[in-house]
PDB file of all heavy atoms in Angstrom:
ATOM      1  N   ARG A 243      -6.971   9.246  -1.564  1.00 93.00           N
ATOM      2  CA  ARG A 243      -6.117   9.321  -2.752  1.00 93.00           C
ATOM      3  C   ARG A 243      -5.682   7.914  -3.201  1.00 93.00           C
ATOM      4  O   ARG A 243      -5.659   7.602  -4.386  1.00 93.00           O
ATOM      5  CB  ARG A 243      -4.883  10.176  -2.447  1.00 93.00           C
ATOM      6  CG  ARG A 243      -4.247  10.785  -3.689  1.00 93.00           C
ATOM      7  CD  ARG A 243      -3.084  11.690  -3.325  1.00 93.00           C
ATOM      8  NE  ARG A 243      -3.525  12.854  -2.584  1.00 93.00           N
ATOM      9  CZ  ARG A 243      -2.807  13.456  -1.634  1.00 93.00           C
ATOM     10  NH1 ARG A 243      -1.633  12.963  -1.290  1.00 93.00           N
ATOM     11  NH2 ARG A 243      -3.257  14.529  -1.013  1.00 93.00           N
ATOM     12  N   TYR A 244      -5.364   7.056  -2.223  1.00 93.00           N
ATOM     13  CA  TYR A 244      -4.982   5.673  -2.543  1.00 93.00           C
ATOM     14  C   TYR A 244      -6.154   4.903  -3.162  1.00 93.00           C
ATOM     15  O   TYR A 244      -5.962   4.116  -4.076  1.00 93.00           O
ATOM     16  CB  TYR A 244      -4.491   4.947  -1.284  1.00 93.00           C
ATOM     17  CG  TYR A 244      -3.033   5.185  -0.968  1.00 93.00           C
ATOM     18  CD1 TYR A 244      -2.646   5.837   0.196  1.00 93.00           C
ATOM     19  CD2 TYR A 244      -2.031   4.753  -1.829  1.00 93.00           C
ATOM     20  CE1 TYR A 244      -1.305   6.058   0.494  1.00 93.00           C
ATOM     21  CE2 TYR A 244      -0.688   4.968  -1.544  1.00 93.00           C
ATOM     22  CZ  TYR A 244      -0.332   5.624  -0.383  1.00 93.00           C
ATOM     23  OH  TYR A 244       0.997   5.843  -0.100  1.00 93.00           O
ATOM     24  N   VAL A 245      -7.363   5.136  -2.632  1.00 93.00           N
ATOM     25  CA  VAL A 245      -8.550   4.457  -3.168  1.00 93.00           C
ATOM     26  C   VAL A 245      -8.773   4.871  -4.621  1.00 93.00           C
ATOM     27  O   VAL A 245      -9.050   4.035  -5.483  1.00 93.00           O
ATOM     28  CB  VAL A 245      -9.800   4.756  -2.302  1.00 93.00           C
ATOM     29  CG1 VAL A 245     -11.069   4.234  -2.963  1.00 93.00           C
ATOM     30  CG2 VAL A 245      -9.653   4.133  -0.924  1.00 93.00           C
ATOM     31  N   ARG A 246      -8.630   6.167  -4.902  1.00 93.00           N
ATOM     32  CA  ARG A 246      -8.811   6.655  -6.280  1.00 93.00           C
ATOM     33  C   ARG A 246      -7.755   6.071  -7.215  1.00 93.00           C
ATOM     34  O   ARG A 246      -8.046   5.730  -8.363  1.00 93.00           O
ATOM     35  CB  ARG A 246      -8.749   8.185  -6.300  1.00 93.00           C
ATOM     36  CG  ARG A 246     -10.018   8.818  -5.756  1.00 93.00           C
ATOM     37  CD  ARG A 246      -9.931  10.311  -5.695  1.00 93.00           C
ATOM     38  NE  ARG A 246     -11.212  10.870  -5.255  1.00 93.00           N
ATOM     39  CZ  ARG A 246     -11.328  12.041  -4.648  1.00 93.00           C
ATOM     40  NH1 ARG A 246     -10.258  12.780  -4.392  1.00 93.00           N
ATOM     41  NH2 ARG A 246     -12.523  12.490  -4.295  1.00 93.00           N
ATOM     42  N   LYS A 247      -6.541   5.954  -6.702  1.00 93.00           N
ATOM     43  CA  LYS A 247      -5.450   5.372  -7.493  1.00 93.00           C
ATOM     44  C   LYS A 247      -5.733   3.890  -7.784  1.00 93.00           C
ATOM     45  O   LYS A 247      -5.504   3.405  -8.898  1.00 93.00           O
ATOM     46  CB  LYS A 247      -4.128   5.517  -6.723  1.00 93.00           C
ATOM     47  CG  LYS A 247      -2.888   5.344  -7.573  1.00 93.00           C
ATOM     48  CD  LYS A 247      -1.650   5.673  -6.755  1.00 93.00           C
ATOM     49  CE  LYS A 247      -0.389   5.477  -7.547  1.00 93.00           C
ATOM     50  NZ  LYS A 247       0.819   5.752  -6.740  1.00 93.00           N
ATOM     51  N   ALA A 248      -6.234   3.178  -6.781  1.00 93.00           N
ATOM     52  CA  ALA A 248      -6.562   1.749  -6.927  1.00 93.00           C
ATOM     53  C   ALA A 248      -7.707   1.555  -7.917  1.00 93.00           C
ATOM     54  O   ALA A 248      -7.735   0.574  -8.662  1.00 93.00           O
ATOM     55  CB  ALA A 248      -6.930   1.157  -5.571  1.00 93.00           C
ATOM     56  N   ARG A 249      -8.651   2.506  -7.929  1.00 92.00           N
ATOM     57  CA  ARG A 249      -9.781   2.439  -8.863  1.00 92.00           C
ATOM     58  C   ARG A 249      -9.307   2.485 -10.316  1.00 92.00           C
ATOM     59  O   ARG A 249      -9.851   1.815 -11.186  1.00 92.00           O
ATOM     60  CB  ARG A 249     -10.703   3.646  -8.631  1.00 92.00           C
ATOM     61  CG  ARG A 249     -11.713   3.418  -7.554  1.00 92.00           C
ATOM     62  CD  ARG A 249     -13.063   3.030  -8.153  1.00 92.00           C
ATOM     63  NE  ARG A 249     -13.925   2.490  -7.129  1.00 92.00           N
ATOM     64  CZ  ARG A 249     -14.664   3.240  -6.323  1.00 92.00           C
ATOM     65  NH1 ARG A 249     -14.623   4.544  -6.412  1.00 92.00           N
ATOM     66  NH2 ARG A 249     -15.438   2.655  -5.437  1.00 92.00           N
ATOM     67  N   ARG A 250      -8.304   3.341 -10.564  1.00 91.00           N
ATOM     68  CA  ARG A 250      -7.809   3.523 -11.939  1.00 91.00           C
ATOM     69  C   ARG A 250      -6.986   2.332 -12.422  1.00 91.00           C
ATOM     70  O   ARG A 250      -6.855   2.103 -13.619  1.00 91.00           O
ATOM     71  CB  ARG A 250      -6.972   4.808 -12.038  1.00 91.00           C
ATOM     72  CG  ARG A 250      -7.790   6.084 -11.899  1.00 91.00           C
ATOM     73  CD  ARG A 250      -7.002   7.293 -12.329  1.00 91.00           C
ATOM     74  NE  ARG A 250      -5.840   7.525 -11.487  1.00 91.00           N
ATOM     75  CZ  ARG A 250      -5.837   8.302 -10.404  1.00 91.00           C
ATOM     76  NH1 ARG A 250      -6.961   8.912 -10.022  1.00 91.00           N
ATOM     77  NH2 ARG A 250      -4.747   8.475  -9.682  1.00 91.00           N
ATOM     78  N   ALA A 251      -6.398   1.591 -11.478  1.00 90.00           N
ATOM     79  CA  ALA A 251      -5.543   0.452 -11.847  1.00 90.00           C
ATOM     80  C   ALA A 251      -6.388  -0.749 -12.257  1.00 90.00           C
ATOM     81  O   ALA A 251      -7.551  -0.865 -11.890  1.00 90.00           O
ATOM     82  CB  ALA A 251      -4.650   0.078 -10.671  1.00 90.00           C
ATOM     83  N   ALA A 252      -5.777  -1.641 -13.026  1.00 86.00           N
ATOM     84  CA  ALA A 252      -6.475  -2.863 -13.459  1.00 86.00           C
ATOM     85  C   ALA A 252      -6.517  -3.858 -12.304  1.00 86.00           C
ATOM     86  O   ALA A 252      -5.621  -3.883 -11.465  1.00 86.00           O
ATOM     87  CB  ALA A 252      -5.734  -3.464 -14.641  1.00 86.00           C
ATOM     88  N   GLY A 253      -7.559  -4.670 -12.268  1.00 84.00           N
ATOM     89  CA  GLY A 253      -7.683  -5.699 -11.229  1.00 84.00           C
ATOM     90  C   GLY A 253      -8.648  -5.300 -10.132  1.00 84.00           C
ATOM     91  O   GLY A 253      -9.319  -4.267 -10.208  1.00 84.00           O
ATOM     92  N   SER A 254      -8.708  -6.120  -9.094  1.00 89.00           N
ATOM     93  CA  SER A 254      -9.614  -5.888  -7.968  1.00 89.00           C
ATOM     94  C   SER A 254      -9.179  -4.641  -7.194  1.00 89.00           C
ATOM     95  O   SER A 254      -8.041  -4.563  -6.728  1.00 89.00           O
ATOM     96  CB  SER A 254      -9.601  -7.104  -7.043  1.00 89.00           C
ATOM     97  OG  SER A 254     -10.184  -6.781  -5.809  1.00 89.00           O
ATOM     98  N   THR A 255     -10.092  -3.680  -7.051  1.00 91.00           N
ATOM     99  CA  THR A 255      -9.763  -2.402  -6.389  1.00 91.00           C
ATOM    100  C   THR A 255      -9.265  -2.632  -4.967  1.00 91.00           C
ATOM    101  O   THR A 255      -8.265  -2.032  -4.557  1.00 91.00           O
ATOM    102  CB  THR A 255     -10.996  -1.467  -6.375  1.00 91.00           C
ATOM    103  OG1 THR A 255     -11.466  -1.312  -7.711  1.00 91.00           O
ATOM    104  CG2 THR A 255     -10.655  -0.109  -5.807  1.00 91.00           C
ATOM    105  N   GLY A 256      -9.934  -3.508  -4.209  1.00 90.00           N
ATOM    106  CA  GLY A 256      -9.545  -3.772  -2.825  1.00 90.00           C
ATOM    107  C   GLY A 256      -8.152  -4.354  -2.715  1.00 90.00           C
ATOM    108  O   GLY A 256      -7.351  -3.945  -1.871  1.00 90.00           O
ATOM    109  N   GLN A 257      -7.845  -5.288  -3.592  1.00 92.00           N
ATOM    110  CA  GLN A 257      -6.531  -5.930  -3.574  1.00 92.00           C
ATOM    111  C   GLN A 257      -5.427  -4.961  -3.980  1.00 92.00           C
ATOM    112  O   GLN A 257      -4.358  -4.926  -3.368  1.00 92.00           O
ATOM    113  CB  GLN A 257      -6.537  -7.131  -4.526  1.00 92.00           C
ATOM    114  CG  GLN A 257      -5.565  -8.216  -4.089  1.00 92.00           C
ATOM    115  CD  GLN A 257      -5.867  -9.545  -4.759  1.00 92.00           C
ATOM    116  OE1 GLN A 257      -7.020  -9.938  -4.873  1.00 92.00           O
ATOM    117  NE2 GLN A 257      -4.843 -10.222  -5.204  1.00 92.00           N
ATOM    118  N   VAL A 258      -5.704  -4.150  -5.003  1.00 93.00           N
ATOM    119  CA  VAL A 258      -4.722  -3.140  -5.468  1.00 93.00           C
ATOM    120  C   VAL A 258      -4.472  -2.127  -4.357  1.00 93.00           C
ATOM    121  O   VAL A 258      -3.337  -1.707  -4.125  1.00 93.00           O
ATOM    122  CB  VAL A 258      -5.208  -2.442  -6.767  1.00 93.00           C
ATOM    123  CG1 VAL A 258      -4.286  -1.280  -7.136  1.00 93.00           C
ATOM    124  CG2 VAL A 258      -5.283  -3.431  -7.920  1.00 93.00           C
ATOM    125  N   LEU A 259      -5.531  -1.745  -3.639  1.00 93.00           N
ATOM    126  CA  LEU A 259      -5.401  -0.790  -2.532  1.00 93.00           C
ATOM    127  C   LEU A 259      -4.460  -1.326  -1.456  1.00 93.00           C
ATOM    128  O   LEU A 259      -3.545  -0.620  -1.007  1.00 93.00           O
ATOM    129  CB  LEU A 259      -6.790  -0.511  -1.932  1.00 93.00           C
ATOM    130  CG  LEU A 259      -6.839   0.374  -0.680  1.00 93.00           C
ATOM    131  CD1 LEU A 259      -6.328   1.777  -0.977  1.00 93.00           C
ATOM    132  CD2 LEU A 259      -8.247   0.436  -0.108  1.00 93.00           C
ATOM    133  N   LEU A 260      -4.657  -2.600  -1.072  1.00 92.00           N
ATOM    134  CA  LEU A 260      -3.786  -3.216  -0.068  1.00 92.00           C
ATOM    135  C   LEU A 260      -2.341  -3.302  -0.562  1.00 92.00           C
ATOM    136  O   LEU A 260      -1.399  -3.082   0.195  1.00 92.00           O
ATOM    137  CB  LEU A 260      -4.293  -4.609   0.304  1.00 92.00           C
ATOM    138  CG  LEU A 260      -5.528  -4.668   1.204  1.00 92.00           C
ATOM    139  CD1 LEU A 260      -5.944  -6.109   1.424  1.00 92.00           C
ATOM    140  CD2 LEU A 260      -5.281  -3.997   2.553  1.00 92.00           C
ATOM    141  N   GLN A 261      -2.161  -3.607  -1.852  1.00 92.00           N
ATOM    142  CA  GLN A 261      -0.814  -3.692  -2.422  1.00 92.00           C
ATOM    143  C   GLN A 261      -0.127  -2.332  -2.397  1.00 92.00           C
ATOM    144  O   GLN A 261       1.061  -2.229  -2.064  1.00 92.00           O
ATOM    145  CB  GLN A 261      -0.877  -4.230  -3.853  1.00 92.00           C
ATOM    146  CG  GLN A 261      -1.137  -5.730  -3.917  1.00 92.00           C
ATOM    147  CD  GLN A 261      -1.401  -6.230  -5.327  1.00 92.00           C
ATOM    148  OE1 GLN A 261      -1.593  -5.453  -6.262  1.00 92.00           O
ATOM    149  NE2 GLN A 261      -1.424  -7.539  -5.493  1.00 92.00           N
ATOM    150  N   LEU A 262      -0.864  -1.274  -2.725  1.00 93.00           N
ATOM    151  CA  LEU A 262      -0.295   0.082  -2.703  1.00 93.00           C
ATOM    152  C   LEU A 262       0.162   0.454  -1.300  1.00 93.00           C
ATOM    153  O   LEU A 262       1.241   1.022  -1.114  1.00 93.00           O
ATOM    154  CB  LEU A 262      -1.331   1.107  -3.188  1.00 93.00           C
ATOM    155  CG  LEU A 262      -1.634   1.163  -4.684  1.00 93.00           C
ATOM    156  CD1 LEU A 262      -2.837   2.060  -4.953  1.00 93.00           C
ATOM    157  CD2 LEU A 262      -0.428   1.674  -5.477  1.00 93.00           C
ATOM    158  N   LEU A 263      -0.647   0.107  -0.301  1.00 93.00           N
ATOM    159  CA  LEU A 263      -0.313   0.436   1.088  1.00 93.00           C
ATOM    160  C   LEU A 263       0.849  -0.407   1.596  1.00 93.00           C
ATOM    161  O   LEU A 263       1.725   0.091   2.308  1.00 93.00           O
ATOM    162  CB  LEU A 263      -1.535   0.251   1.987  1.00 93.00           C
ATOM    163  CG  LEU A 263      -2.728   1.181   1.709  1.00 93.00           C
ATOM    164  CD1 LEU A 263      -3.914   0.804   2.578  1.00 93.00           C
ATOM    165  CD2 LEU A 263      -2.360   2.633   1.930  1.00 93.00           C
ATOM    166  N   GLU A 264       0.870  -1.679   1.214  1.00 91.00           N
ATOM    167  CA  GLU A 264       1.941  -2.576   1.661  1.00 91.00           C
ATOM    168  C   GLU A 264       3.286  -2.226   1.016  1.00 91.00           C
ATOM    169  O   GLU A 264       4.338  -2.510   1.593  1.00 91.00           O
ATOM    170  CB  GLU A 264       1.587  -4.029   1.351  1.00 91.00           C
ATOM    171  CG  GLU A 264       0.604  -4.645   2.331  1.00 91.00           C
ATOM    172  CD  GLU A 264       1.206  -4.992   3.684  1.00 91.00           C
ATOM    173  OE1 GLU A 264       2.421  -5.252   3.768  1.00 91.00           O
ATOM    174  OE2 GLU A 264       0.455  -5.006   4.670  1.00 91.00           O
ATOM    175  N   MET A 265       3.250  -1.630  -0.184  1.00 92.00           N
ATOM    176  CA  MET A 265       4.498  -1.308  -0.889  1.00 92.00           C
ATOM    177  C   MET A 265       5.049   0.068  -0.519  1.00 92.00           C
ATOM    178  O   MET A 265       6.048   0.519  -1.078  1.00 92.00           O
ATOM    179  CB  MET A 265       4.294  -1.391  -2.409  1.00 92.00           C
ATOM    180  CG  MET A 265       3.920  -2.772  -2.917  1.00 92.00           C
ATOM    181  SD  MET A 265       5.071  -4.076  -2.485  1.00 92.00           S
ATOM    182  CE  MET A 265       6.310  -3.856  -3.750  1.00 92.00           C
ATOM    183  N   ARG A 266       4.416   0.748   0.446  1.00 93.00           N
ATOM    184  CA  ARG A 266       4.979   2.014   0.949  1.00 93.00           C
ATOM    185  C   ARG A 266       6.330   1.724   1.612  1.00 93.00           C
ATOM    186  O   ARG A 266       6.524   0.651   2.182  1.00 93.00           O
ATOM    187  CB  ARG A 266       4.037   2.635   1.980  1.00 93.00           C
ATOM    188  CG  ARG A 266       2.844   3.374   1.409  1.00 93.00           C
ATOM    189  CD  ARG A 266       1.863   3.720   2.522  1.00 93.00           C
ATOM    190  NE  ARG A 266       2.478   4.522   3.579  1.00 93.00           N
ATOM    191  CZ  ARG A 266       2.342   5.843   3.693  1.00 93.00           C
ATOM    192  NH1 ARG A 266       1.607   6.513   2.833  1.00 93.00           N
ATOM    193  NH2 ARG A 266       2.920   6.501   4.687  1.00 93.00           N
ATOM    194  N   LEU A 267       7.233   2.689   1.570  1.00 94.00           N
ATOM    195  CA  LEU A 267       8.580   2.471   2.125  1.00 94.00           C
ATOM    196  C   LEU A 267       8.539   2.214   3.629  1.00 94.00           C
ATOM    197  O   LEU A 267       9.216   1.315   4.126  1.00 94.00           O
ATOM    198  CB  LEU A 267       9.491   3.669   1.807  1.00 94.00           C
ATOM    199  CG  LEU A 267      10.936   3.575   2.312  1.00 94.00           C
ATOM    200  CD1 LEU A 267      11.655   2.348   1.749  1.00 94.00           C
ATOM    201  CD2 LEU A 267      11.723   4.838   1.972  1.00 94.00           C
ATOM    202  N   ASP A 268       7.726   2.993   4.368  1.00 93.00           N
ATOM    203  CA  ASP A 268       7.684   2.789   5.823  1.00 93.00           C
ATOM    204  C   ASP A 268       7.181   1.392   6.185  1.00 93.00           C
ATOM    205  O   ASP A 268       7.703   0.738   7.081  1.00 93.00           O
ATOM    206  CB  ASP A 268       6.871   3.883   6.535  1.00 93.00           C
ATOM    207  CG  ASP A 268       5.441   4.036   6.035  1.00 93.00           C
ATOM    208  OD1 ASP A 268       5.069   3.343   5.070  1.00 93.00           O
ATOM    209  OD2 ASP A 268       4.707   4.871   6.604  1.00 93.00           O
ATOM    210  N   ASN A 269       6.185   0.896   5.431  1.00 92.00           N
ATOM    211  CA  ASN A 269       5.661  -0.444   5.702  1.00 92.00           C
ATOM    212  C   ASN A 269       6.670  -1.520   5.309  1.00 92.00           C
ATOM    213  O   ASN A 269       6.810  -2.527   5.999  1.00 92.00           O
ATOM    214  CB  ASN A 269       4.346  -0.665   4.949  1.00 92.00           C
ATOM    215  CG  ASN A 269       3.693  -1.964   5.356  1.00 92.00           C
ATOM    216  OD1 ASN A 269       3.186  -2.102   6.459  1.00 92.00           O
ATOM    217  ND2 ASN A 269       3.758  -2.955   4.480  1.00 92.00           N
ATOM    218  N   THR A 270       7.394  -1.308   4.197  1.00 93.00           N
ATOM    219  CA  THR A 270       8.410  -2.280   3.751  1.00 93.00           C
ATOM    220  C   THR A 270       9.533  -2.397   4.779  1.00 93.00           C
ATOM    221  O   THR A 270       9.974  -3.502   5.091  1.00 93.00           O
ATOM    222  CB  THR A 270       8.969  -1.874   2.367  1.00 93.00           C
ATOM    223  OG1 THR A 270       7.865  -1.714   1.464  1.00 93.00           O
ATOM    224  CG2 THR A 270       9.912  -2.906   1.807  1.00 93.00           C
ATOM    225  N   VAL A 271       9.950  -1.256   5.331  1.00 92.00           N
ATOM    226  CA  VAL A 271      10.982  -1.230   6.380  1.00 92.00           C
ATOM    227  C   VAL A 271      10.486  -1.997   7.607  1.00 92.00           C
ATOM    228  O   VAL A 271      11.218  -2.789   8.205  1.00 92.00           O
ATOM    229  CB  VAL A 271      11.352   0.240   6.740  1.00 92.00           C
ATOM    230  CG1 VAL A 271      12.150   0.317   8.037  1.00 92.00           C
ATOM    231  CG2 VAL A 271      12.139   0.876   5.601  1.00 92.00           C
ATOM    232  N   PHE A 272       9.215  -1.801   7.956  1.00 91.00           N
ATOM    233  CA  PHE A 272       8.606  -2.513   9.091  1.00 91.00           C
ATOM    234  C   PHE A 272       8.547  -4.014   8.830  1.00 91.00           C
ATOM    235  O   PHE A 272       8.883  -4.822   9.697  1.00 91.00           O
ATOM    236  CB  PHE A 272       7.195  -1.938   9.342  1.00 91.00           C
ATOM    237  CG  PHE A 272       6.291  -2.830  10.149  1.00 91.00           C
ATOM    238  CD1 PHE A 272       6.556  -3.097  11.484  1.00 91.00           C
ATOM    239  CD2 PHE A 272       5.152  -3.397   9.580  1.00 91.00           C
ATOM    240  CE1 PHE A 272       5.710  -3.913  12.228  1.00 91.00           C
ATOM    241  CE2 PHE A 272       4.308  -4.212  10.321  1.00 91.00           C
ATOM    242  CZ  PHE A 272       4.592  -4.471  11.644  1.00 91.00           C
ATOM    243  N   ARG A 273       8.133  -4.415   7.623  1.00 89.00           N
ATOM    244  CA  ARG A 273       8.000  -5.843   7.299  1.00 89.00           C
ATOM    245  C   ARG A 273       9.357  -6.546   7.241  1.00 89.00           C
ATOM    246  O   ARG A 273       9.444  -7.755   7.432  1.00 89.00           O
ATOM    247  CB  ARG A 273       7.258  -6.035   5.975  1.00 89.00           C
ATOM    248  CG  ARG A 273       5.796  -5.613   5.958  1.00 89.00           C
ATOM    249  CD  ARG A 273       4.937  -6.247   7.031  1.00 89.00           C
ATOM    250  NE  ARG A 273       4.719  -7.657   6.892  1.00 89.00           N
ATOM    251  CZ  ARG A 273       3.662  -8.219   6.317  1.00 89.00           C
ATOM    252  NH1 ARG A 273       2.703  -7.468   5.817  1.00 89.00           N
ATOM    253  NH2 ARG A 273       3.535  -9.521   6.259  1.00 89.00           N
ATOM    254  N   MET A 274      10.416  -5.793   6.959  1.00 90.00           N
ATOM    255  CA  MET A 274      11.764  -6.384   6.963  1.00 90.00           C
ATOM    256  C   MET A 274      12.299  -6.559   8.381  1.00 90.00           C
ATOM    257  O   MET A 274      13.342  -7.177   8.581  1.00 90.00           O
ATOM    258  CB  MET A 274      12.722  -5.509   6.149  1.00 90.00           C
ATOM    259  CG  MET A 274      12.536  -5.640   4.648  1.00 90.00           C
ATOM    260  SD  MET A 274      13.677  -4.564   3.754  1.00 90.00           S
ATOM    261  CE  MET A 274      13.353  -5.071   2.062  1.00 90.00           C
ATOM    262  N   GLY A 275      11.612  -5.967   9.351  1.00 88.00           N
ATOM    263  CA  GLY A 275      12.018  -6.120  10.756  1.00 88.00           C
ATOM    264  C   GLY A 275      12.948  -5.034  11.253  1.00 88.00           C
ATOM    265  O   GLY A 275      13.467  -5.113  12.361  1.00 88.00           O
ATOM    266  N   MET A 276      13.167  -3.999  10.429  1.00 89.00           N
ATOM    267  CA  MET A 276      14.069  -2.913  10.840  1.00 89.00           C
ATOM    268  C   MET A 276      13.451  -2.027  11.916  1.00 89.00           C
ATOM    269  O   MET A 276      14.145  -1.249  12.556  1.00 89.00           O
ATOM    270  CB  MET A 276      14.435  -2.034   9.645  1.00 89.00           C
ATOM    271  CG  MET A 276      15.285  -2.701   8.592  1.00 89.00           C
ATOM    272  SD  MET A 276      15.856  -1.445   7.437  1.00 89.00           S
ATOM    273  CE  MET A 276      15.768  -2.313   5.887  1.00 89.00           C
ATOM    274  N   ALA A 277      12.125  -2.109  12.087  1.00 89.00           N
ATOM    275  CA  ALA A 277      11.425  -1.307  13.098  1.00 89.00           C
ATOM    276  C   ALA A 277      10.304  -2.145  13.709  1.00 89.00           C
ATOM    277  O   ALA A 277       9.736  -2.998  13.039  1.00 89.00           O
ATOM    278  CB  ALA A 277      10.865  -0.043  12.449  1.00 89.00           C
ATOM    279  N   PRO A 278       9.970  -1.905  14.985  1.00 89.00           N
ATOM    280  CA  PRO A 278       8.949  -2.727  15.656  1.00 89.00           C
ATOM    281  C   PRO A 278       7.516  -2.427  15.212  1.00 89.00           C
ATOM    282  O   PRO A 278       6.653  -3.280  15.284  1.00 89.00           O
ATOM    283  CB  PRO A 278       9.143  -2.388  17.133  1.00 89.00           C
ATOM    284  CG  PRO A 278       9.785  -1.051  17.146  1.00 89.00           C
ATOM    285  CD  PRO A 278      10.616  -0.964  15.903  1.00 89.00           C
ATOM    286  N   THR A 279       7.255  -1.184  14.759  1.00 88.00           N
ATOM    287  CA  THR A 279       5.915  -0.791  14.302  1.00 88.00           C
ATOM    288  C   THR A 279       6.053   0.106  13.075  1.00 88.00           C
ATOM    289  O   THR A 279       7.147   0.585  12.771  1.00 88.00           O
ATOM    290  CB  THR A 279       5.153  -0.007  15.394  1.00 88.00           C
ATOM    291  OG1 THR A 279       5.908   1.171  15.705  1.00 88.00           O
ATOM    292  CG2 THR A 279       4.930  -0.821  16.648  1.00 88.00           C
TER     293      THR A 279
END
């Protein structure tokens, strides 16, 4: 589903896919250091 969403967006599909995954709430909480994994 994320790949299909990235395909529809403008720009490089691979880069948009990584951005979509990185901007998920669970990943954002992890990157802020609130959780170890």
Side-chain angles (χ1 to χ4, degrees):
R243 204 176 294 147
Y244 276 116
V245 171
R246 285 177 176 154
K247 197 173 178 182
R249 274 261 166 84
R250 291 194 296 268
S254 165
T255 305
Q257 209 163 317
V258 173
L259 175 63
L260 285 177
Q261 285 172 349
L262 286 171
L263 296 175
E264 281 285 333
M265 297 304 278
R266 281 170 58 100
L267 181 59
D268 56 356
N269 188 71
T270 306
V271 166
F272 161 67
R273 294 305 292 264
M274 285 179 174
M276 293 190 218
T279 60

